[in-house]
Amino acid sequence: WAKQNGRDNAKFYEPHMAEKVSGQFQFEQEIKEALDSHQMFLVYQPQVDSSSDRIFGLEALIRWQHPEKGLVSPAEFIPVAEESTLINKIGEFVIDSVLRRLSKWQQDKVDVVPVAVNISGRHLISEGFPQFIERSLRHYKVDGRWLKIEITEGVFIHDVHESIEIMSALKTLGVEISVDDFGTGYSSLHYLKMLPLDILKIDQSFVLESGDGAEGDKICEAIIQLAQNLDLQVIAEGVETELQAKVLNDLGCNLHQGFYYFRPESEETVGERLRQQSKRLA
Ligand code: C2E
Ligand code: MG
Ligand code: MG
Ligand code: MG
């Protein structure tokens, strides 16, 4: 961390920075230890097709059970991890855990659905990322179509050409790519068209505002139309009420994720849901 930011930091240096920096360093050490000592684990939130009530996918979300602080939210430690290559370690941990889980489910004859993982833009464009994915898929004997990657918009504008190259390599493996939190970043429509994307995820802030006739409806409508025009799937995130679900359905979006349907759940609970779903559909 020091090496990376050292030079530019000098001119901003103030006395309190020393504390901040050592606090950051300590937190990073803790994250590192947590990864090594099994304090990190994944929960899975089912994604539902409201037209059939079928679970069509899962999103893997990381959790940190800290020995003293209890459950630490990813909103707290992911941004810190993103300051360094620690975020790559986290990404690798998540991908490894998801593929191991998928492989176990397949051995147990569970009808699996694709699992989406959140990957930092920094990790995506780091050296050897597609190769890591390819090796991991091969190692666990899991087909690439069961893995999806969610990226927030930021990275695209900085490294469009690199992003295109890496995403194309992932797509060759069958791995689909979603833009997470869509609408909060800066993607120009031009980039969206250039990138080999598959899915837009409407940010939950717009979904939460929808359903009371407010601006949220209009933004959701615009994103849904944009996705349709660009031939992308669209998933609404943060669906909490029946009314929101209905508004989204009426706007033509029936792929939903949110507390109205399911909270993020343990792998055991989600595995059981998938088993029951295959029985129901059989
Ligand atoms: P995200 O990728 O946009 O994930 C969706 C977040 O919304 C999750 O929070 C989920 O629990 C929450 N959520 C789902 N449905 C609802 C709902 O109906 N209402 C509300 N209020 N919230 C809902 P979580 O798990 O706390 O994760 C927060 C963020 O942290 C994620 O946002 C993602 O950006 C990041 N994150 C989580 N896990 C990972 C990970 O494994 N790797 C990376 N790089 N980032 C992660
Ligand atoms: Mg996500
Ligand atoms: Mg999101
Ligand atoms: Mg988010």
Side-chain angles (χ1 to χ4, degrees), residues 182-199:
F182 186 74
T184 60
Y186 312 92
S187 321
S188 82
L189 303 185
H190 178 61
Y191 291 156
L192 276 187
K193 224 179 145 56
M194 280 170 76
L195 294 160
L197 299 166
D198 301 285
I199 298 151

Side-chain angles (χ1 to χ4, degrees):
W1 193 88
K3 194 172 151 204
Q4 182 198 329
N5 288 313
R7 221 180 50 196
D8 295 339
N9 255 4
K11 61 179 180 250
F12 299 117
Y13 194 87
E14 292 166 38
H16 71 266
M17 286 297 285
E19 265 166 58
K20 222 173 126 185
V21 166
S22 81
Q24 164 115 4
F25 179 74
Q26 228 169 51
F27 198 41
E28 285 188 6
Q29 285 305 311
E30 279 186 74
I31 296 175
K32 217 177 275 173
E33 278 169 33
L35 277 169
D36 292 337
S37 61
H38 306 287
Q39 296 167 26
M40 302 267 185
F41 62 98
L42 300 182
V43 288
Y44 296 85
Q45 186 176 31
Q47 302 170 315
V48 176
D49 181 343
S50 64
S51 68
S52 60
D53 271 341
R54 204 178 146 266
I55 295 171
F56 70 91
L58 305 171
E59 178 173 4
L61 296 157
I62 199 165
R63 295 291 178 265
W64 180 4
Q65 186 65 53
H66 190 284
E68 286 114 41
K69 298 179 198 159
L71 209 55
V72 185
S73 160
E76 211 175 304
F77 68 89
I78 292 291
V80 176
E82 276 178 334
E83 298 281 313
S84 75
T85 52
L86 248 189
I87 194 64
N88 302 16
K89 289 247 176 314
I90 291 181
E92 287 171 8
F93 166 80
V94 171
I95 284 164
D96 190 77
S97 308
V98 162
L99 293 180
R100 183 169 340 112
R101 189 17 71 193
L102 277 166
S103 140
K104 282 220 186 88
W105 277 334
Q106 287 182 331
Q107 282 166 29
D108 296 347
K109 304 279 181 264
V110 174
D111 285 325
V112 295
V113 293
V115 182
V117 299
N118 295 283
I119 292 297
S120 153
R122 176 181 191 141
H123 189 191
L124 179 85
I125 61 171
S126 69
E127 177 74 31
F129 181 76
Q131 289 82 353
F132 168 75
I133 298 290
E134 184 174 16
R135 270 201 315 278
S136 305
L137 289 169
R138 206 177 326 123
H139 177 79
Y140 286 109
K141 300 190 174 64
V142 170
D143 192 284
R145 73 175 189 278
W146 303 118
L147 183 70
K148 293 188 186 185
I149 288 182
E150 297 192 0
I151 311 275
T152 46
E153 295 171 70
V155 62
F156 308 144
I157 21 170
H158 297 300
D159 296 278
V160 185
H161 294 288
E162 214 172 346
S163 300
I164 292 177
E165 218 168 280
I166 292 162
M167 288 180 183
S168 305
L170 292 172
K171 294 201 60 169
T172 309
L173 301 171
V175 176
E176 290 196 330
I177 297 151
S178 319
V179 185
D180 205 351
D181 304 340
F182 186 74
T184 60
Y186 312 92
S187 321
S188 82
L189 303 185
H190 178 61
Y191 291 156
L192 276 187
K193 224 179 145 56
M194 280 170 76
L195 294 160
L197 299 166
D198 301 285
I199 298 151
L200 294 187
K201 291 189 82 177
I202 308 175
D203 187 65
Q204 45 182 280
S205 60
F206 306 125
V207 174
L208 286 173
E209 281 171 26
S210 71
D212 50 11
E215 287 297 288
D217 287 22
K218 293 264 181 292
I219 297 178
C220 289
E221 183 175 14
I223 296 177
I224 292 162
Q225 275 178 8
L226 176 68
Q228 284 166 355
N229 290 339
L230 292 173
D231 231 351
L232 301 173
Q233 285 193 304
V234 58
I235 301 180
E237 190 165 56
V239 180
E240 289 189 351
T241 68
E242 189 178 356
L243 181 60
Q244 288 163 355
K246 183 182 179 309
V247 168
L248 290 159
N249 286 334
D250 291 347
L251 292 173
C253 169
N254 46 35
L255 303 182
H256 298 177
Q257 180 179 345
F259 296 171
Y260 174 60
Y261 300 93
F262 299 104
R263 300 213 162 224
E265 301 173 323
S266 72
E267 54 183 32
E268 291 81 14
T269 304
V270 159
E272 197 42 47
R273 280 197 201 290
L274 292 179
R275 272 193 200 91
Q276 278 170 10
Q277 167 156 289
S278 355
K279 267 196 231 150
R280 189 157 50 85
L281 296 178

